[in-house]
Amino acid sequence: MRGSTPLPVDTFLPYMRDVVRCEQSLRELNLMWRMIEASAKMNCPVEAKTILPTMAATRAGFNRLEHELVHSLVSEKVGNVLDEIATKAQYVIDIVVRNLFERTADVGFLATDRELCAFVAGLHDNTDAIRYRLRAYRSKYTVYDEILLLDTAGNVLVQIDEASPIEGSTDPLIAETLAADGYVETFRATDLRPLKKEALVYSRRMLHPDTGAPVGVLCLCFHFEEEMAGIFRSHRDADERANMLLLDGDNRVIASADELWIPVGATVPVNRSAEPKLMIHGGREYLVRTLAAAGYQGYMGPPGWQGQVMIPVDVAFHGGVSNALSTLDPAIAEGLLSHARSFCPPLFEIMTAADTIRRVVWNGQVMTAGQRGELLKLKTILDQISETGMRSNELFSQSIRDLYETVLASSLRDAEFVSHLLVDLLDRNLYERSDDCRWWALTPELRTALAADERDTETLQNLGAILDYINRLYTVYTRIFVYDREGRIIASTHEMENGASVVGTAVDAAALSNVLALRSEQDYYVSPFEPSPLYGGRPTYIYHAAIRDPHNESTVVGGIGIVFDAEPEFAAMLRGALADKAGMTALFVDRRGRVISSTDPSRPAGAQLDLKLDVDGKLLALANGSSASRIVVHDGHYAIIGCSVSSGYREFKVSDGYKEDVIALVYDSFGEVRERSGAVNREDAVIESDVTASGGIEYATFYIDGMLFAIPAAQVMEALPASEVSPVSMGGRAERVGVLSLQRHGESRHFVWVFDLRHLMRGAPAPIEAGSQVIVVKHNGQDIGLLVDELHGVPEFRPSQIIPTPFAIAAEGLLVKQVIQANEGRLLVQALDVAQLFACLKDPALPTVLNLSDATLLNHMQLEHETLENAA
């Protein structure tokens, strides 16, 4: 069970129709089992004495299962919903915090802009030029809806939002900012933004360029409402069953995806500990998850802010019907189901119960084989068990399928959501890079220096100091450099990894050509994602902007390049989005399947994905902004792949002319592929009986590699679960897998050796799985156990249906010398020669291995039949 808080099953059960149906099925089965057991005790107590203990144990098991299974199903469903809404709640706050982290760097850099500081200090009064400069900043960093410069008394010197003019402010944040060494973050009502109920303001004091004394305050006003609307629009539940919220430290709503549902200003209940309980708000019951920020580079966001998602319990478990299983290859579906124990414990419990019923009936039929008289009553009891078990298994199968679909659908949605988040994080991050390079290209000192015919040592050192200051504030860059019109780098931060200087080297010709062709200060150029000597020979993006002559905007005098530290930054995005999701890997790739970043060590940056084995090429061709998910086989594991294609952020990659599609791939592994070389079609394996009341021979049938085999029922004692086999590390035949303890009614305990029948017949060992069984056979007073894949039945055949195989004469020593033609020859059952089996186990030199299949046998039988017809 998830968590430590007891799960109130009765609270949630009324909202889970499929679990209610499963509970009713279990109760019906339990009742029928009691009735059958009572009937056996009354009608044939002596004959049934050997199976009554098993029946009683099975009934007790079902009684326990009825309670545990319902509890597990409810827990699984509640846990799935809580996990899903927790993921979204975490992303709400983390996306906001990553965005606001950039704002803390912005205000720190802009507050030291020499031109702005000189104006605030009163060294000049060119208000129009300063307003133009602030608007140029706003045109690049479009996340701000107002920028203000104030003096120490709170008087507004310049602002850019003409729709909300103010003359001054008495807000305490001005005094707080003047007294602070760093930025001040404020979110509340303020006279700086009189038309808003609340505003998010980043402020920092500005110093006199010469004396260093505080002369004023810079305020960057973040467009909070627009940003939150974009987050909600991009990541909200498409069915609108849940509401995404951003809360402050007092659990008050400061942003809501649906304000008509839960308005801003409302105080809501929170669930930080993931307790599986219902919470009431506005007269309605909700499942709730509340998450604090994970933090980004040490920044935790505004104090107390939290992401929250609330989903009404009456719609929480009514998601769209999934058909994931029906679209899968049957072998993959069966393989996925084989991981039920780890994938979903309730499924494993149901499957184990179904195996128990099948084994009880099979053992009873073996025991009554060839018997008449009173034992016929037991046969009737067994028929009732079999019929009830089959009917209940049909109901179980539907419940299994429903739950399996629910879990798969939840995983498919989660993988798709994570991939969507990843491309959103990437576009948001790289948007900032496009802003930075264009703004820094407007730095007056850079423009003046590059426009000059010659640059002395002091000028170059000053340029280096400016770049160093920027790089210390913006740590996502490996280096920042400027170059002249010929592409020669004249100043740069950081040396090469080999210690050589970057200064004096040249940018590549393609980058220079593109930069010289940029038409305005709003344009920029990004190099392709490829290895660069400026990034130690590793692949990355380098953002370029043109530096223009300060006296002639149409003349490009050089450029600025910023080398994005792609390796750790992309890796941090991937790891952050995956969080602690076990079994998940994620990659950024381009349209061709070339890896940009990866959490998978076997697919590093620069590697090329196989468009058949690693990812379907159709996923790489999805439209921008599209997402998809599906179940695949990946690296020998069953996995869910989630895929999303970037669509840009604000104007970045949308309207600014830059085109670079990035695709996020998320793989969620569900366990190793389990080869099932002969997947069984249950309908095709039903044996049609055409034997009269006497004269037939009963065989115990079972599966190996998906094919039916048979042993005369008279030579079979019973079947037991393979989980009871005890491995023994002794010498002997490789096919011997262990010992099995037998305890029959009225007899002392004894042990038998267990041999892998598949290994004996095919030369390859069989995996021991949940449904594997051991059949105990006898011959000349000796007992052995045979490991098989699954039990089938105990049908009766006419002697005429049992014929020698075409290989029986030529291949002495083989274990299969006869074939049973069932269902008018449409189904072949290979009959095992028990005497030969015991002889082979005594003499390892005797041959046993012959790889045959139903198709091989059928072809030979048809050929022999045609030969006889032609001869006639």
Side-chain angles (χ1 to χ4, degrees), residues 752-811:
V752 298
W753 287 111
V754 178
F755 296 88
D756 182 347
L757 190 53
R758 172 179 163 180
H759 198 173
L760 281 165
M761 303 186 68
R762 299 285 184 261
I768 299 180
E769 299 177 336
S772 299
Q773 306 288 329
V774 174
I775 298 175
V776 181
V777 298
K778 57 186 177 181
H779 178 69
N780 290 339
Q782 292 183 305
D783 302 342
I784 61 169
L786 299 176
L787 175 67
V788 303
D789 294 344
E790 188 177 336
L791 303 176
H792 176 253
V794 188
E796 193 171 354
F797 301 104
R798 288 179 282 105
S800 61
Q801 293 178 271
I802 306 167
I803 61 175
T805 71
F807 313 101
I809 298 175

Side-chain angles (χ1 to χ4, degrees), residues 3-5 82-83 85-86 89-90 93 246-253 267-277 279 287-293 303-310:
S4 57
T5 302
L82 287 175
D83 288 347
I85 63 177
Q90 187 71 67
I93 184 64
L246 187 65
L247 312 180
D248 64 13
D250 297 322
N251 304 330
R252 183 179 64 93
V253 178
T267 299
V268 293
V270 298
N271 182 14
R272 301 185 187 92
S273 57
E275 294 184 32
K277 64 181 182 181
M279 296 180 168
L287 279 168
V288 178
R289 280 306 316 270
T290 315
L291 279 299
W305 279 24
Q306 310 160 88
Q308 177 157 305
V309 174
M310 301 173 66

